[in-house]
Amino acid sequence: QVELVQSGGGSVHTGGSLRLSCAASGNTDSQNCVAWFRQSPGKEREGVAALNTLGGGYSYYSWSVKDRFTISQDSAKSTVYLDMNMLKPEDTAMYYCAANIGSACGGRWSVMSRYNLWSQGTQVTVSS
């Protein structure tokens, strides 16, 4: 059984950078979609970025983070990263990684119900 363990996050000022890591334990040899979501108080959880773990690692981004955030993976470590640059106060949220085991991401990558595994979440706070 696959489990996701998330690390990273913290507090930075506007313009700063942070890295989140999502390590998967168990059998991860199949094509999987791994995504990052975030949720701010009073708002719905939203997809930030996603990546196919096989086939070249095609990635997807929400418009709000494109060109600032980068999703990547280290297959040898079964770990997916989210590098967040040029952070803004509106990026403040609880961040979660999620995995859809056995499926590629596709155009519906940001639909929460497609993911069957979730991490514990970590807080990212950006102050002005």
Side-chain angles (χ1 to χ4, degrees):
Q1 183 175 350
V2 179
E3 294 184 351
L4 303 177
V5 177
Q6 185 178 341
S7 60
S11 299
V12 295
H13 292 292
T14 298
S17 299
L18 287 172
R19 164 176 268 200
L20 303 180
S21 300
C22 179
S25 62
N27 186 353
T28 59
D29 293 337
S30 61
Q31 171 69 281
N32 307 308
C33 175
V34 179
W36 290 96
F37 286 78
R38 66 185 182 186
Q39 188 168 21
S40 305
K43 294 187 178 180
E44 294 186 355
R45 193 170 296 189
E46 63 171 346
V48 174
L51 173 136
N52 287 327
T53 58
L54 297 179
Y58 192 84
S59 57
Y60 304 78
Y61 295 93
S62 70
W63 65 269
S64 61
V65 305
K66 190 172 175 58
D67 298 327
R68 298 189 299 123
F69 290 11
T70 302
I71 189 170
S72 62
Q73 65 175 328
D74 183 335
S75 300
K77 296 181 180 180
S78 297
T79 300
V80 172
Y81 303 98
L82 184 68
D83 287 298
M84 304 181 290
N85 298 310
M86 296 182 287
L87 283 161
K88 306 174 182 179
E90 50 263 44
D91 294 318
T92 295
M94 185 72 77
Y95 283 72
Y96 302 87
C97 69
N100 183 349
I101 302 300
S103 296
C105 295
R108 297 177 70 242
W109 66 270
S110 61
V111 177
M112 285 179 52
S113 59
R114 298 191 69 230
Y115 297 88
N116 46 19
L117 287 176
W118 290 84
S119 67
Q120 75 277 20
T122 189
Q123 179 68 34
V124 170
T125 302
V126 185
S127 57
S128 58

